[in-house]
PDB file of all heavy atoms in Angstrom:
ATOM      1  N   VAL J 106      39.845 103.401  73.900  1.00 97.00           N
ATOM      2  CA  VAL J 106      39.830 104.100  72.608  1.00 97.00           C
ATOM      3  C   VAL J 106      39.821 103.084  71.469  1.00 97.00           C
ATOM      4  O   VAL J 106      39.062 103.215  70.504  1.00 97.00           O
ATOM      5  CB  VAL J 106      41.039 105.067  72.500  1.00 97.00           C
ATOM      6  CG1 VAL J 106      41.239 105.543  71.071  1.00 97.00           C
ATOM      7  CG2 VAL J 106      40.837 106.257  73.437  1.00 97.00           C
ATOM      8  N   ALA J 107      40.625 102.040  71.597  1.00 97.00           N
ATOM      9  CA  ALA J 107      40.673 101.008  70.555  1.00 97.00           C
ATOM     10  C   ALA J 107      39.325 100.298  70.436  1.00 97.00           C
ATOM     11  O   ALA J 107      38.833 100.053  69.331  1.00 97.00           O
ATOM     12  CB  ALA J 107      41.776  99.992  70.863  1.00 97.00           C
ATOM     13  N   ARG J 108      38.720 100.012  71.584  1.00 98.00           N
ATOM     14  CA  ARG J 108      37.420  99.345  71.563  1.00 98.00           C
ATOM     15  C   ARG J 108      36.369 100.227  70.891  1.00 98.00           C
ATOM     16  O   ARG J 108      35.553  99.751  70.106  1.00 98.00           O
ATOM     17  CB  ARG J 108      36.986  99.010  72.999  1.00 98.00           C
ATOM     18  CG  ARG J 108      35.759  98.098  73.086  1.00 98.00           C
ATOM     19  CD  ARG J 108      35.366  97.892  74.538  1.00 98.00           C
ATOM     20  NE  ARG J 108      34.239  96.994  74.719  1.00 98.00           N
ATOM     21  CZ  ARG J 108      34.351  95.688  74.925  1.00 98.00           C
ATOM     22  NH1 ARG J 108      35.522  95.119  74.969  1.00 98.00           N
ATOM     23  NH2 ARG J 108      33.273  94.934  75.085  1.00 98.00           N
ATOM     24  N   ALA J 109      36.420 101.547  71.170  1.00 97.00           N
ATOM     25  CA  ALA J 109      35.467 102.477  70.562  1.00 97.00           C
ATOM     26  C   ALA J 109      35.634 102.500  69.040  1.00 97.00           C
ATOM     27  O   ALA J 109      34.655 102.468  68.290  1.00 97.00           O
ATOM     28  CB  ALA J 109      35.642 103.876  71.135  1.00 97.00           C
ATOM     29  N   ARG J 110      36.884 102.542  68.578  1.00 97.00           N
ATOM     30  CA  ARG J 110      37.145 102.538  67.130  1.00 97.00           C
ATOM     31  C   ARG J 110      36.586 101.281  66.482  1.00 97.00           C
ATOM     32  O   ARG J 110      35.896 101.345  65.479  1.00 97.00           O
ATOM     33  CB  ARG J 110      38.648 102.551  66.859  1.00 97.00           C
ATOM     34  CG  ARG J 110      39.195 103.898  66.855  1.00 97.00           C
ATOM     35  CD  ARG J 110      40.184 104.204  65.742  1.00 97.00           C
ATOM     36  NE  ARG J 110      40.552 105.590  65.982  1.00 97.00           N
ATOM     37  CZ  ARG J 110      41.484 105.950  66.863  1.00 97.00           C
ATOM     38  NH1 ARG J 110      42.192 105.045  67.515  1.00 97.00           N
ATOM     39  NH2 ARG J 110      41.711 107.222  67.070  1.00 97.00           N
ATOM     40  N   GLU J 111      36.920 100.132  67.087  1.00 98.00           N
ATOM     41  CA  GLU J 111      36.447  98.870  66.523  1.00 98.00           C
ATOM     42  C   GLU J 111      34.926  98.795  66.562  1.00 98.00           C
ATOM     43  O   GLU J 111      34.303  98.229  65.670  1.00 98.00           O
ATOM     44  CB  GLU J 111      37.035  97.694  67.312  1.00 98.00           C
ATOM     45  CG  GLU J 111      38.521  97.513  67.081  1.00 98.00           C
ATOM     46  CD  GLU J 111      39.114  96.462  68.025  1.00 98.00           C
ATOM     47  OE1 GLU J 111      38.335  95.651  68.586  1.00 98.00           O
ATOM     48  OE2 GLU J 111      40.340  96.482  68.203  1.00 98.00           O
ATOM     49  N   ALA J 112      34.348  99.368  67.614  1.00 98.00           N
ATOM     50  CA  ALA J 112      32.892  99.332  67.739  1.00 98.00           C
ATOM     51  C   ALA J 112      32.222 100.100  66.603  1.00 98.00           C
ATOM     52  O   ALA J 112      31.214  99.657  66.059  1.00 98.00           O
ATOM     53  CB  ALA J 112      32.461  99.885  69.099  1.00 98.00           C
ATOM     54  N   THR J 113      32.792 101.261  66.220  1.00 98.00           N
ATOM     55  CA  THR J 113      32.184 102.024  65.121  1.00 98.00           C
ATOM     56  C   THR J 113      32.260 101.218  63.818  1.00 98.00           C
ATOM     57  O   THR J 113      31.304 101.177  63.050  1.00 98.00           O
ATOM     58  CB  THR J 113      32.865 103.390  64.880  1.00 98.00           C
ATOM     59  OG1 THR J 113      34.242 103.188  64.552  1.00 98.00           O
ATOM     60  CG2 THR J 113      32.765 104.288  66.088  1.00 98.00           C
ATOM     61  N   GLU J 114      33.384 100.541  63.608  1.00 97.00           N
ATOM     62  CA  GLU J 114      33.508  99.696  62.411  1.00 97.00           C
ATOM     63  C   GLU J 114      32.517  98.537  62.472  1.00 97.00           C
ATOM     64  O   GLU J 114      31.938  98.144  61.460  1.00 97.00           O
ATOM     65  CB  GLU J 114      34.930  99.137  62.292  1.00 97.00           C
ATOM     66  CG  GLU J 114      35.939 100.200  61.914  1.00 97.00           C
ATOM     67  CD  GLU J 114      37.374  99.774  62.218  1.00 97.00           C
ATOM     68  OE1 GLU J 114      37.620  98.570  62.435  1.00 97.00           O
ATOM     69  OE2 GLU J 114      38.251 100.672  62.247  1.00 97.00           O
ATOM     70  N   GLY J 115      32.337  98.007  63.675  1.00 98.00           N
ATOM     71  CA  GLY J 115      31.404  96.892  63.865  1.00 98.00           C
ATOM     72  C   GLY J 115      29.976  97.270  63.493  1.00 98.00           C
ATOM     73  O   GLY J 115      29.275  96.509  62.829  1.00 98.00           O
ATOM     74  N   VAL J 116      29.550  98.465  63.917  1.00 98.00           N
ATOM     75  CA  VAL J 116      28.194  98.915  63.589  1.00 98.00           C
ATOM     76  C   VAL J 116      28.041  99.018  62.071  1.00 98.00           C
ATOM     77  O   VAL J 116      27.049  98.543  61.495  1.00 98.00           O
ATOM     78  CB  VAL J 116      27.884 100.283  64.252  1.00 98.00           C
ATOM     79  CG1 VAL J 116      26.542 100.820  63.768  1.00 98.00           C
ATOM     80  CG2 VAL J 116      27.900 100.161  65.764  1.00 98.00           C
ATOM     81  N   ALA J 117      29.047  99.623  61.416  1.00 97.00           N
ATOM     82  CA  ALA J 117      28.991  99.766  59.960  1.00 97.00           C
ATOM     83  C   ALA J 117      28.933  98.386  59.293  1.00 97.00           C
ATOM     84  O   ALA J 117      28.184  98.172  58.340  1.00 97.00           O
ATOM     85  CB  ALA J 117      30.193 100.560  59.462  1.00 97.00           C
ATOM     86  N   GLU J 118      29.702  97.448  59.836  1.00 97.00           N
ATOM     87  CA  GLU J 118      29.724  96.096  59.265  1.00 97.00           C
ATOM     88  C   GLU J 118      28.357  95.409  59.403  1.00 97.00           C
ATOM     89  O   GLU J 118      27.859  94.779  58.464  1.00 97.00           O
ATOM     90  CB  GLU J 118      30.806  95.272  59.963  1.00 97.00           C
ATOM     91  CG  GLU J 118      30.973  93.895  59.341  1.00 97.00           C
ATOM     92  CD  GLU J 118      32.147  93.123  59.934  1.00 97.00           C
ATOM     93  OE1 GLU J 118      33.231  93.718  60.105  1.00 97.00           O
ATOM     94  OE2 GLU J 118      31.968  91.927  60.218  1.00 97.00           O
ATOM     95  N   ALA J 119      27.749  95.592  60.565  1.00 97.00           N
ATOM     96  CA  ALA J 119      26.409  95.005  60.783  1.00 97.00           C
ATOM     97  C   ALA J 119      25.427  95.545  59.744  1.00 97.00           C
ATOM     98  O   ALA J 119      24.615  94.794  59.192  1.00 97.00           O
ATOM     99  CB  ALA J 119      25.919  95.324  62.197  1.00 97.00           C
ATOM    100  N   MET J 120      25.521  96.852  59.453  1.00 97.00           N
ATOM    101  CA  MET J 120      24.619  97.465  58.482  1.00 97.00           C
ATOM    102  C   MET J 120      24.877  96.929  57.066  1.00 97.00           C
ATOM    103  O   MET J 120      23.946  96.723  56.290  1.00 97.00           O
ATOM    104  CB  MET J 120      24.754  98.989  58.494  1.00 97.00           C
ATOM    105  CG  MET J 120      24.441  99.648  59.833  1.00 97.00           C
ATOM    106  SD  MET J 120      22.805  99.259  60.471  1.00 97.00           S
ATOM    107  CE  MET J 120      21.788 100.222  59.358  1.00 97.00           C
TER     108      MET J 120
END
Side-chain angles (χ1 to χ4, degrees):
Chain J
V106 166
R108 190 183 182 92
R110 274 223 180 83
E111 289 172 18
T113 60
E114 289 162 16
V116 173
E118 185 174 315
M120 300 304 287

